[in-house]
Amino acid sequence: GENVEQHPSTLSVQEGDSAVIKCTYSDSASNYFPWYKQELGKGPQLIIDIRSNVGEKKDQRIAVTLNKTAKHFSLHITETQPEDSAVYFCAADSWGKLQFGAGTQVVVTP
Amino acid sequence: DVKVTQSSRYLVKRTGEKVFLECVQDMDHENMFWYRQDPGLGLRLIYFSYDVKMKEKGDIPEGYSVSREKKERFSLILESASTNQTSMYLCASQQGDRSNQPQHFGDGTRLSIL
């Protein structure tokens, strides 16, 4: 089955700097890759997703890149703000089921 | 906006009890999922359902069962609760066609088994 690895597990950045989270997956049939943000006491919220026919997608300060050959995808947050502090999860869809990474705790310090 | 509602935010039960966790979605989604979330392990799929009366095992189904009598409601059942089932439980729903569609999550039930 699908296996998703996510790095780093924790990330501390200065406000205004960029944050990058990287994920690798094992199933070459995976074709959908969502990213979720989970704030304290809440469920994961979808922030951006990418499908395998696209190499990059951007939504304001958030961008995701996908390299299908190397089987890795990344989340980029630019101009980080304190409200970006949360746990971020990557996931890969394999035969209709999502396999999640272990999560990255992002802390943005003022 | 999709609304997935889990009936309890916090629940405390005793070992051996039968526990029901309820989840309701309001978007007429065909697919529903139950996950447990533990630190350092991400979200792990327990059971899922693609239609009423239908259920399929996920990656960690042992000790759990589910019920889907109506399209909007998906229940997770701990047949005989044990302390290693203390966890955060998350329900999600998804529009049909099974892939390439986002899953929408509820806010979770934090379950403690004493």
Side-chain angles (χ1 to χ4, degrees):
Chain A
E2 177 66 277
N3 182 48
V4 176
E5 294 193 0
Q6 182 173 346
H7 300 280
S9 56
T10 58
L11 182 58
S12 184
V13 295
Q14 204 81 25
E15 183 177 356
D17 287 350
S18 295
V20 180
I21 303 170
K22 298 182 179 182
C23 291
T24 60
Y25 62 98
S26 60
D27 187 351
S28 56
S30 293
N31 56 11
Y32 173 65
F33 306 90
W35 284 88
Y36 288 86
K37 175 184 181 182
Q38 187 176 26
E39 296 175 331
L40 205 59
K42 296 198 170 182
Q45 299 293 311
L46 179 76
I47 54 171
I48 196 167
D49 56 10
I50 190 167
R51 291 169 175 82
S52 59
N53 58 346
V54 174
E56 185 173 355
K57 184 176 178 181
K58 192 173 181 182
D59 182 4
Q60 299 183 341
R61 296 186 297 108
I62 293 173
V64 57
T65 58
L66 171 65
N67 183 326
K68 282 223 76 177
T69 304
K71 288 193 251 178
H72 65 71
F73 56 114
S74 301
L75 178 72
H76 304 252
I77 307 173
T78 58
E79 299 171 24
T80 53
Q81 300 168 5
E83 53 264 38
D84 295 329
S85 295
V87 179
Y88 292 81
F89 292 96
C90 63
D93 181 292
S94 179
W95 302 101
K97 295 190 294 181
L98 286 181
Q99 197 73 29
F100 286 84
T104 297
Q105 174 79 60
V106 174
V107 177
V108 180
T109 53
Chain B
D1 267 1
V2 177
K3 184 76 174 172
V4 178
T5 303
Q6 294 184 232
S7 55
S8 304
R9 292 300 305 276
Y10 301 94
L11 211 51
V12 180
K13 297 291 182 180
R14 296 208 173 273
T15 304
E17 279 191 69
K18 191 169 185 176
V19 181
F20 294 85
L21 303 184
E22 307 288 346
C23 175
V24 176
Q25 49 97 2
D26 67 355
M27 284 302 292
D28 201 36
H29 283 171
E30 288 79 7
N31 308 336
M32 295 188 76
F33 305 81
W34 275 106
Y35 295 87
R36 66 176 281 175
Q37 181 179 15
D38 300 288
L41 297 178
L43 281 68
R44 292 180 292 164
L45 183 63
I46 304 171
Y47 266 97
F48 59 104
S49 168
Y50 289 146
D51 203 351
V52 175
K53 306 263 187 202
M54 189 206 159
K55 60 184 179 184
E56 291 196 36
K57 293 180 180 179
D59 299 322
I60 52 164
E62 296 78 20
Y64 303 94
S65 63
V66 290
S67 171
R68 187 133 183 236
E69 296 295 319
K70 293 185 178 182
K71 191 175 186 180
E72 68 271 17
R73 185 180 296 270
F74 192 34
S75 303
L76 179 70
I77 304 158
L78 284 64
E79 297 291 344
S80 177
S82 64
T83 54
N84 63 10
Q85 292 178 309
T86 291
S87 187
M88 169 70 88
Y89 290 87
L90 291 162
C91 173
S93 74
Q94 180 191 47
Q95 196 171 347
D97 99 348
R98 302 187 185 186
S99 65
N100 290 352
Q101 298 292 331
Q103 291 184 18
H104 302 270
F105 285 86
D107 282 336
T109 296
R110 186 164 291 283
L111 175 64
S112 295
I113 307 295
L114 305 179

